Amino acid sequence: MDVTKIREDFPILEREVYGKPLIYLDNGATTQKPRAVVESIVDEYYSVNSNVHRGVHFLSQRATELHENSRESVRNFINAASSREIIFTRGTTKAINLLAFCMGEACMKEGDEVIISTMEHHSNIVPWQLLETRKGIRLKVIPMNDRGELLMDEYRNLITDRTRLVSVTHVSNVLGTINPVKEIINIAHQAGIPVLLDGAQAVPHLQVDVRDLDVDFYTFSAHKVYGPTGIGVLYGKEAWLDRLPPYQGGGEMIQKVTFEKTTFNELPYKFEAGTPDYIGTTAFAKAIDYITAIGMDKIAAHEHTLTEYATRRFKEIEGLRIYGEAPHKSSIISFLVAGIHHFDMGTLLDRLGIAVRTGHHCAQPLMQRLGIEGTVRASFGVYNTLQEIDALVAWIDRVRKMF
Ligand code: PLP
């Protein structure tokens, strides 16, 4: 994999901040976009733009074709059985809210239970809490050990005959832990319980195969996979999606409307009320083409090298503690240096051109479990280099000495 050449595809990486070359290590929050993605947005607005699905004219048909081809690209990317199983949403958050609402309506009543884990992003906690208020369901939480691994025996014990769904993150956005999702799914399925995986931090780094996982629902966001903002995916097994009622009402999602009665469209449109972001879906397909051409296995291997190297170098820094030391980890490293507040570290690194994230990373319950307020988080992507990690390590050490 030629990282120098890859970097040329990302114009933003050439810029400076505060007169220093940008070192972008905030890929967990969002990734930068290659030229092919940005150009796709401009090209489609300039040469194809027209609303999809309802038009007989040339532009509308062409825009529809691009939009539906993108659905097929996503299907192929995660190896879903049918493009009917690919629901376009605004992002992971919207996808989980959609599912929480629809599952709540169709399959949950007072006293039913949903299992999540200690390491969830707020977007896989709060939608279920809203359901607690609306439907009187109960939330149960899989605990973890100090390395940041879920306690599987405790998980088994949480399952009861009232469990209606297990909803956990594939990869933790704070700890980097890659959860044993196949085992989690197997255990749930043995009890006849469906599983939702939040794949926001997995899809950019791992080859995800929803059929091999046998997962019932899977969500992710395009903007974390080198695609545009405003697009996400809810994958669902067709049999499940067929059982669920629509989420929102409006255009696209109907078959026939009268004032007396409305019938709903087939999958996936039943869940896609209103004009979709068809420009965004085309750009997302370009991002998928881009990373597929490089090869997910090569991306994973490169990021693994970066993470191993950074972990080793971080351990040389006096007083630095890494949060998340599971053996099976993705390219995220959260850390604190003794006596230095994470905001101070982040702010000083920023002045040196290094973009890292600081704070609770939308995982406040996890912070409470760790007994801290927040961390500094470096997260690596396809275009990061060992030299950038050397710079990060040197600057963290310099900040440490300043304190
Ligand atoms: N889940 C995880 C694990 C995340 O890391 C994020 C974003 O950081 C989300 C969900 C929410 O994604 P989005 O803001 O794109 O909806």
Side-chain angles (χ1 to χ4, degrees), residues 45-291:
Y45 272 126
Y46 281 165
S47 62
V48 183
N49 180 47
S50 181
N51 208 334
V52 291
H53 292 146
R54 287 174 293 271
V56 291
H57 62 81
F58 178 87
L59 287 185
S60 176
Q61 298 215 3
R62 181 74 190 115
T64 303
E65 210 179 300
L66 286 171
H67 180 61
E68 291 306 326
N69 287 349
S70 307
R71 200 187 302 275
E72 175 56 22
S73 295
V74 173
R75 183 208 65 72
N76 186 46
F77 183 52
I78 59 170
N79 195 31
S82 157
S83 58
R84 293 159 62 83
E85 299 178 321
I86 306 298
I87 318 286
F88 283 125
T89 68
R90 240 175 54 74
T92 305
T93 304
K94 180 70 179 281
I96 299 176
N97 276 278
L98 186 165
L99 193 72
F101 181 86
C102 297
M103 286 283 285
E105 289 303 296
C107 330
M108 293 184 201
K109 51 183 190 301
E110 193 174 342
D112 284 344
E113 295 164 358
V114 171
I115 297 179
I116 58 171
S117 87
T118 311
M119 61 177 82
E120 298 309 317
H121 187 280
H122 294 163
S123 62
N124 195 27
I125 302 173
V126 186
W128 307 112
Q129 287 176 332
L130 295 177
L131 213 50
E132 278 184 314
T133 312
R134 217 175 74 236
K135 286 270 174 178
I137 66 147
R138 287 183 56 214
L139 216 48
K140 288 176 143 186
V141 183
I142 311 170
M144 65 173 207
N145 63 23
D146 290 340
R147 283 194 302 275
E149 296 163 295
L150 295 180
L151 300 178
M152 297 301 281
D153 286 340
E154 306 265 354
Y155 163 51
R156 279 190 189 84
N157 291 336
L158 290 179
I159 294 178
T160 70
D161 59 358
R162 298 305 301 266
T163 310
R164 295 290 170 265
L165 182 76
V166 174
S167 183
V168 293
T169 194
H170 191 165
V171 172
S172 160
N173 67 314
V174 176
L175 308 164
T177 311
I178 303 175
N179 283 318
V181 288
K182 268 197 164 180
E183 196 184 340
I184 290 173
I185 292 165
N186 265 334
I187 292 168
H189 282 180
Q190 276 164 27
I193 299 160
V195 176
L196 163 68
L197 292 181
D198 171 354
Q201 297 293 341
V203 170
H205 310 290
L206 313 170
Q207 182 74 62
V208 170
D209 181 331
V210 290
R211 269 189 285 178
D212 178 52
L213 290 171
D214 195 24
V215 68
D216 304 277
F217 304 100
Y218 198 94
T219 62
F220 57 102
S221 301
H223 72 95
K224 294 187 197 284
V225 202
Y226 311 97
T229 53
I231 289 290
V233 172
L234 169 64
Y235 159 82
K237 282 183 183 165
E238 193 165 339
W240 265 113
L241 294 177
D242 270 335
R243 275 182 64 186
L244 300 181
Y247 176 48
Q248 293 176 324
E252 290 277 336
M253 53 76 74
I254 54 90
Q255 205 168 48
K256 186 165 168 50
V257 180
T258 66
F259 284 122
E260 289 70 38
K261 182 176 161 53
T262 291
T263 51
F264 304 122
N265 206 343
E266 59 185 22
L267 291 175
Y269 311 109
K270 182 172 84 174
F271 295 104
E272 293 183 348
T275 299
D277 183 356
Y278 53 87
I279 304 280
T281 54
T282 308
F284 184 27
K286 295 285 179 200
I288 291 175
D289 289 347
Y290 182 83
I291 54 173

Side-chain angles (χ1 to χ4, degrees), residues 16 32 40 68 86 109 153 158 210 305 326 334 339 348 376 384:
E16 297 189 334
Q32 299 304 341
S40 152
E68 291 306 326
I86 306 298
K109 51 183 190 301
D153 286 340
L158 290 179
V210 290
T305 307
S334 274
L348 289 166
V376 186
N384 290 123

